[in-house]
Amino acid sequence: MTQIHPTAIVSPGAQLGQDVEVGAFCTVGPQVQLGDGVRLVSHVVIEGATQIGARTTVHPFAVLGGAPQHLAHKGEETRLVIGERNIIREHVTMHTGTVGGGGVTKIGSDSLYMVGAHVAHDCIVGDRVTFANNATLGGHVVIGDFVFMGGLCAVHQFTRIGRYSFVGGGGVVTKDIIPYGSVWGNHAHLEGLNLVGLKRRGFTREAINALRAAYRLLFADEGTFQERLDDVAEAHADTPEVMEIVDFIRSEANRPLCLPEREV
């Protein structure tokens, strides 16, 4: 039941699953794999070694699997792997990885990428994320599950953004964002917790209250940051959500931590 429009160009080496729809003027390269039920609406370019999971829909003028925008890339074969049930809107671009970055860009499942969003080489993006219009990732960025990226925001290369975080529209993120955090501004600073997102995702009142208490203690004025981090870990050792923040901060990182602005 696969449907290929007469004006589409599908290379002989491409692998198409069942019930795939390739619309008008699409181009599908020889190393592309399209899962069952993938729909390319029209004018879509899928190139490189790109794998797209089942029931993903790609809208016009998206370009997926292009070579990385990296001067060290010399044409080596690298990959783009996209999960299932994603909605990829107009003019979205996602690039393959680089040899130095592991060779693969990984996109999760069940996500929405709005008009003009960009995922650069070697990024790892989780499940159920939302990228609003023109949200942009530099190379090697790691995005956790359920993250919301506001319109026109930009993320510096090698930055980590923890699960359930919210990046406000126009935010320029140059530092790591804790899980459940909410950041705004240019350059972005931590404004608190993503309480709206937590409530929408069904977090219990007890978990939210524990996160709020931990946040207040972690970013208080008393003591050193390390002392406060240890206090949070001790006080909330039985709260998985709080310990996720603690583990995120303690883990090895390439970028500094995004912190609240201090009042002058």
Side-chain angles (χ1 to χ4, degrees), residues 86 106-109 111 113 124-129 142-146:
N86 292 295
K106 297 181 180 178
I107 307 294
S109 299
S111 299
Y113 296 87
I124 300 175
V125 181
D127 299 332
R128 299 185 183 276
V129 303
V142 178
I143 304 286
D145 299 339
F146 298 99

Side-chain angles (χ1 to χ4, degrees), residues 3 23-24 31 51-52 66 80 108 111 119 135 148 154 173-174 176 182 191 199 233 247 259:
Q3 303 177 51
Q31 295 177 286
Q51 176 182 332
I52 301 180
L80 169 65
S111 299
V119 179
F148 186 96
V173 180
T174 63
D176 289 347
S182 177
E191 282 282 348
K199 292 174 183 176
D247 293 340
L259 301 172

Side-chain angles (χ1 to χ4, degrees), residues 198-199 201-211 241:
L198 294 176
K199 292 174 183 176
R201 295 295 181 180
F203 279 73
T204 65
R205 179 175 297 181
E206 291 76 15
I208 292 174
N209 287 340
L211 284 166
E241 294 84 359

Side-chain angles (χ1 to χ4, degrees), residues 14-257:
Q15 301 179 33
L16 276 59
Q18 297 180 353
D19 300 319
V20 170
E21 180 180 339
V22 181
F25 301 103
C26 292
T27 302
V28 179
Q31 295 177 286
V32 171
Q33 300 177 42
L34 303 181
D36 294 345
V38 167
R39 181 179 177 226
L40 310 182
V41 176
S42 74
H43 299 83
V44 174
V45 176
I46 314 291
E47 54 188 348
T50 297
Q51 176 182 332
I52 301 180
R55 294 175 295 284
T56 289
T57 298
V58 187
H59 287 258
F61 305 106
V63 179
L64 307 179
Q69 297 177 128
H70 196 299
L71 293 175
H73 182 72
K74 304 302 180 184
E76 303 93 343
E77 182 175 318
T78 54
R79 296 186 299 136
L80 169 65
V81 178
I82 299 173
E84 301 181 346
R85 299 175 301 278
N86 292 295
I87 299 173
I88 299 174
R89 294 302 303 261
E90 296 85 354
H91 297 280
V92 168
T93 51
M94 298 178 177
H95 292 167
T96 61
T98 63
V99 172
V104 59
T105 302
K106 297 181 180 178
I107 307 294
S109 299
D110 300 298
S111 299
L112 170 60
Y113 296 87
M114 299 185 196
V115 172
H118 173 66
V119 179
H121 58 86
D122 304 299
C123 288
I124 300 175
V125 181
D127 299 332
R128 299 185 183 276
V129 303
T130 299
F131 280 44
N133 293 5
N134 296 296
T136 297
L137 304 184
H140 312 275
V141 171
V142 178
I143 304 286
D145 299 339
F146 298 99
V147 167
F148 186 96
M149 305 290 294
L152 297 168
C153 69
V155 182
H156 192 283
Q157 60 188 12
F158 291 102
T159 298
R160 299 177 302 152
I161 298 181
R163 297 194 314 148
Y164 294 96
S165 295
F166 179 91
V167 178
V172 177
V173 180
T174 63
K175 299 176 181 179
D176 289 347
I177 301 173
I178 60 171
Y180 314 103
S182 177
V183 305
W184 300 84
N186 181 7
H187 290 359
H189 59 273
L190 196 62
E191 282 282 348
L193 295 170
N194 182 17
L195 296 176
V196 173
L198 294 176
K199 292 174 183 176
R200 286 177 176 173
R201 295 295 181 180
F203 279 73
T204 65
R205 179 175 297 181
E206 291 76 15
I208 292 174
N209 287 340
L211 284 166
R212 295 179 72 175
Y215 183 94
R216 288 193 295 266
L217 176 57
L218 184 60
F219 298 109
D221 292 328
E222 297 79 14
T224 67
F225 185 77
Q226 184 60 54
E227 290 171 342
R228 298 194 300 270
L229 181 63
D230 293 340
D231 290 343
V232 167
E234 181 178 354
H236 298 278
D238 296 329
T239 306
E241 294 84 359
V242 173
M243 292 308 299
E244 183 175 350
I245 295 175
V246 172
D247 293 340
F248 181 92
I249 294 172
R250 286 177 170 172
S251 62
E252 184 177 350
N254 292 291
R255 304 293 301 163
L257 192 66

